[in-house]
Amino acid sequence: MYSSFYGFREKPFSMTPDTSFLFLSKNHQEAFAHLLYGINSQGGFIELAGEVGSGKTTVLRTLMNQLDREKYTTALIFNPCLSALELLQSISKEYGLPADEMMNARLIGTLNEFLLKENAAGRTVVLVVDEAQNLSPAVLEQIRLISNLETEKSKLIQILLAGQPELETILNRPEMRQIRQRITVQYYLKPMDYDDTVAYINHRIGAAGGDGRVVFAKSALKRIFHYSRGLPRLINIACDRALLAGYTKNAFVISGRMAALAINDLNSMSKRWWPMKRSIPAGLILIALLCGAGIYLYAGNVIDRIVSEDARLSAATRKITMNVLPTGTAIGLEEFAAGARAELTKSGRKENIAAVFNAVAPLLGISPLSGGEEVSSLDQVFRDREVQLYRYQGNLGGLLRLNRPAVLEINIQGLKDARYIALTGQNDNRLLIGPPVLGKSPLTAQELETLWTGRSYIPWKNVHKIPIIGKIGTQGEGIKRLQVLLQDAHVYRGNLSGVFDKETKEAVRKFQLAQGIDPDGIAGSQTLFQLYCTLDSGAVRLPGKKSP
C-alpha cells in the first residue's frame, strides 16, 4: 500500500525471513562466529537459543547460504514435530538419500555410509534443526544416536539445535544429560541495543530501495526501541505500522507521535485478543459437543465432496499434462503445479540438466551441450565450461535482487533426483524460464514460487583467473588481480604487490564480514562470487531487468 508512495521496491519490514535484507548486529555477528567455530571444530552438538523474533532463523539461513558447498554438505529441518522415523526420512531426503525405508536401523545405515563418503571427500556434514524446543524426547534420543556416528578422530556430522528459551529448559532435564554433555558450543542470542536497532531500521529501508524520501525521527526510533526491546520481529511490526500511519497522513517524516499511535494500536489489538483467549476453554467444550453431533450427520457429505474434489483435480492434472488446454484457458496455481511436476518427472535427469544448461549458456557466452556430450551432474556440465555455481537458498524476492540468471531446484516429492528450471530473464513483471513448462514461458512469480524449493545455483565465471588463496606469502598475477578487486571494493589500500600478505588477507576478511561470509581470510569461490557481484564483473545480469 505505502511502498510506491515512499519509493520502495518492496515492503522493507516484511515478516518473512529474507537473507537479502540481512543485517548482522553485534550480537548476530557473535552468534554467527560461534556457530562457525562449532561447525569447524567438529565436536558434535551446537546450541543456539533466543527469544521469539530475535533473528535465529535469519542467522541460520545466512549460515546455510554462506557455507561453501565445496567444503560443507548441509541439511535444514524446520518442522521438528515429527516422529523419530519421520525425522530420519526427512534428513535422508535433505541429503538426497533414499527416504522410503520404514526401518530406523536401515536409514541410519544408509546415512552412515553417506557420512563416511563425505568425510573421505573432505566435506563437513552439517544438520540444522530449527524450532528444536518442539522436539519430543524420542526424537531427541534419535538425534543423539545420529551424533554417535563418528570416526576414530572426529564426528561425522555436526548437529546444530536452534530454538526458543524453552530449549534450554528441556536440555537441562536429567534425562537429557547425555545430549547436554555433548554440546560443545552454545550461544544465547540477545536482543539488539538501541544503536543496532537504529542501524537495522535504516539498513532495511535502504535494502528495500529507499532513496532518502522517508526518515524516522529520533523520537520515533526511541519509541520503537522501547516497544520492541530490540527484537527484530517486533521492530518490523512496529515500523510497518508506523509507515502505514505516515502514509495515511502523506508524511515523509515518521514522527514520535505516529510511532506512538502505531504502537498503541498494536497494544490494543493484543488486549482485545487476551479476553478472547481466556474464554476459549469453555467455547471449545461447546464446539466439541456440536462437532461430535455433527460429524455423524455430515460425514457422508464431506466424504462425497472430498472424492469429488479429488476427481476434479485429477482430471485437471491429466488435462494439463496432456497439454490440451484450450487457448486462453486460465488454470489455478495448484493445477498448474501438478501438471508442471508431472511433466518434469517424465523427463530424465540428464535430459533435464542438458535443457537447463542450454537455456543459460547463451547468457554466459558459452557453447551449449551437443548431443554426444556426457552429462553426469549439474556441477560437472558447468565446470566443463569453466563456469562455477554459487548456491543460494532463500525466497524469490532475495534471488531477484541478486539480479543474476539462476538454475532453480524444483520441488517434486518422491523423486530421487532433483529437477531444475532456469531463470533466464524478466519481461513485464513476468519471469522468463527455460525450458518452458507446460508450454509456458514466462511464468508469474506465484507460479514459479509454487514449484521452487528455495534452492538455486547461480552460474558465474572467474574471469580474472584468481586462484583460491589462503596461504600467506603466495605470489602471482592472480593475487595482484585480487588486490585490484579488493581495492575497487574499498577494503584494500596497500600496494599491488602480487603477494598475499597479512594486509591482503585482512582486506579479504573485511569484505567477508561486510557480506556475512565466514571471515576466514581465504578468497574462496563464495568470496570471489560476492566480490565479482559487488563490482559487477564475472556474474552476468538478468536480462530484461534494469540495473539498480
Side-chain angles (χ1 to χ4, degrees):
M1 183 181 291
Y2 58 69
S3 292
S4 59
F5 177 73
Y6 288 124
F8 298 135
R9 290 190 299 270
E10 58 188 303
K11 292 179 69 173
F13 298 103
S14 170
M15 294 299 293
T16 305
D18 186 344
T19 53
S20 63
F21 278 90
L22 174 66
F23 174 83
L24 291 179
S25 69
K26 295 184 288 289
N27 296 334
H28 289 91
Q29 288 181 32
E30 194 172 330
F32 196 80
H34 274 72
L35 299 184
L36 285 171
Y37 171 77
I39 289 170
N40 291 326
S41 65
Q42 299 191 345
F45 278 104
I46 305 158
E47 178 195 348
L48 173 67
E51 281 291 346
V52 176
S54 59
K56 298 185 298 297
T57 300
T58 299
V59 170
L60 293 178
R61 290 186 182 277
T62 304
L63 176 73
M64 299 286 281
N65 286 336
Q66 303 304 341
L67 290 177
D68 191 336
R69 65 194 186 93
E70 295 176 2
K71 302 177 185 177
Y72 302 90
T73 302
T74 62
L76 172 63
I77 304 297
F78 51 85
N79 177 25
C81 298
L82 305 167
S83 68
L85 175 61
E86 289 169 338
L87 175 77
L88 282 172
Q89 291 172 331
S90 295
I91 292 171
S92 297
K93 183 179 178 182
E94 284 293 307
Y95 287 130
L97 304 174
D100 295 331
E101 178 59 57
M102 298 302 291
M103 294 182 63
N104 292 29
R106 291 183 180 176
L107 287 166
I108 285 282
T110 303
L111 179 62
N112 189 43
E113 291 177 8
F114 166 75
L115 295 177
L116 288 169
K117 288 179 182 178
E118 292 298 290
N119 182 263
R123 286 186 288 271
T124 300
V125 179
V126 182
L127 171 64
V128 178
V129 182
D130 200 3
E131 300 296 342
Q133 78 280 351
N134 295 324
L135 295 171
S136 68
V139 175
L140 279 169
E141 176 61 17
Q142 184 64 75
I143 290 175
R144 184 187 70 80
L145 293 174
I146 292 173
S147 75
N148 286 339
L149 302 175
E150 57 189 2
T151 65
E152 293 180 356
K153 295 183 179 180
S154 64
K155 295 286 186 183
L156 287 173
I157 186 167
Q158 313 308 307
I159 300 174
L160 198 168
L161 299 177
Q164 297 169 21
E166 294 87 341
L167 178 61
E168 289 270 288
T169 305
I170 293 169
L171 294 177
N172 280 324
R173 293 173 182 169
E175 63 270 25
M176 294 290 114
R177 63 186 180 279
Q178 292 193 66
I179 291 181
R180 168 58 67 183
Q181 291 167 0
R182 285 169 166 78
I183 295 175
T184 56
V185 174
Q186 60 184 128
Y187 187 84
Y188 190 92
L189 184 57
K190 297 177 182 177
M192 296 187 289
D193 60 20
Y194 174 74
D195 289 339
D196 273 341
T197 298
V198 173
Y200 172 84
I201 292 171
N202 291 332
H203 170 80
R204 291 193 71 101
I205 288 174
D211 53 6
R213 195 181 306 179
V214 60
V215 295
F216 281 75
K218 189 174 182 179
S219 55
L221 294 169
K222 287 183 176 180
R223 288 181 183 273
I224 290 169
F225 175 69
H226 180 73
Y227 165 77
S228 67
R229 307 185 310 281
L231 292 171
R233 186 174 299 171
L234 293 181
I235 295 170
N236 286 0
I237 292 171
C239 287
D240 179 71
R241 190 59 63 93
L243 285 170
L244 182 60
Y247 167 72
T248 61
K249 297 181 181 299
N250 291 322
F252 291 99
V253 176
I254 308 301
S255 66
R257 179 173 175 78
M258 292 174 191
L261 289 171
I263 291 166
N264 287 340
D265 189 34
L266 292 170
N267 286 333
S268 64
M269 286 175 64
S270 63
K271 287 176 183 176
R272 288 196 297 271
W273 169 239
W274 173 244
M276 220 164 110
K277 288 203 291 183
R278 296 184 65 179
S279 65
I280 282 176
L284 283 177
I285 294 172
L286 178 59
I287 292 170
L289 290 171
L290 292 172
C291 288
I295 285 171
Y296 180 78
L297 294 173
Y298 294 101
N301 289 337
V302 171
I303 291 171
D304 288 343
R305 286 199 300 272
I306 290 172
V307 171
S308 174
E309 180 69 8
D310 183 63
R312 185 186 67 80
L313 286 175
S314 297
T317 300
R318 287 194 300 272
K319 192 174 184 180
I320 297 168
T321 307
M322 293 170 65
N323 216 10
V324 294
L325 278 172
T327 303
T329 299
I331 61 174
L333 282 177
E334 290 184 6
E335 295 165 331
F336 167 77
R341 290 189 179 101
E343 181 180 274
L344 288 166
T345 301
K346 286 193 297 183
S347 67
R349 181 181 68 87
K350 293 183 179 181
E351 177 188 356
N352 173 247
I353 290 173
V356 166
F357 177 87
N358 287 343
V360 173
L363 305 177
L364 303 173
I366 56 178
S367 58
L369 289 169
S370 61
E373 288 189 70
E374 178 62 28
V375 175
S376 62
S377 68
L378 188 69
D379 271 339
Q380 170 255 318
V381 294
F382 280 97
R383 272 200 313 269
D384 289 350
R385 300 293 198 277
E386 296 186 341
V387 175
Q388 300 188 51
L389 294 177
Y390 170 76
R391 179 178 176 178
Y392 171 86
Q393 184 165 332
N395 61 26
L396 188 57
L399 180 64
L400 293 177
R401 276 190 292 278
L402 286 174
N403 195 17
R404 313 289 169 184
V407 177
L408 279 60
E409 185 178 298
I410 301 307
N411 182 19
I412 304 178
Q413 291 188 351
L415 195 64
K416 181 179 177 181
D417 300 309
R419 294 292 185 271
Y420 305 97
I421 289 176
L423 175 63
T424 59
Q426 292 191 63
N427 183 19
D428 295 330
N429 296 320
R430 294 291 183 107
L431 303 175
L432 303 176
I433 65 160
V437 176
L438 300 178
K440 290 190 66 174
S441 179
L443 303 181
T444 65
Q446 290 89 343
E447 288 170 335
L448 193 55
E449 283 181 320
T450 302
L451 297 173
W452 186 36
T453 63
R455 296 189 188 96
S456 60
Y457 305 91
I458 302 174
W460 65 283
K461 294 180 181 179
N462 187 358
V463 293
H464 296 294
K465 307 294 183 185
I466 299 172
I468 293 178
I469 302 161
K471 187 177 180 182
I472 297 292
T474 306
Q475 302 182 37
E477 281 298 313
I479 297 174
K480 183 181 287 186
R481 289 190 286 269
L482 172 66
Q483 290 171 333
V484 171
L485 294 182
L486 293 170
Q487 200 174 65
D488 291 343
H490 307 293
V491 292
Y492 180 70
R493 297 182 180 179
N495 297 322
L496 303 179
S497 62
V499 179
F500 193 73
D501 52 18
K502 291 182 178 178
E503 190 175 1
T504 307
K505 185 166 186 173
E506 182 58 28
V508 172
R509 287 187 72 258
K510 286 181 181 178
F511 179 78
Q512 289 170 329
L513 280 169
Q515 298 296 319
I517 303 173
D518 177 11
D520 57 8
I522 299 172
S525 59
Q526 185 178 22
T527 300
L528 290 177
F529 169 79
Q530 295 285 10
L531 193 55
Y532 279 131
C533 281
T534 300
L535 302 175
D536 201 20
S537 171
V540 179
R541 286 190 173 274
L542 194 64
K545 180 169 181 172
K546 294 180 180 179
S547 302

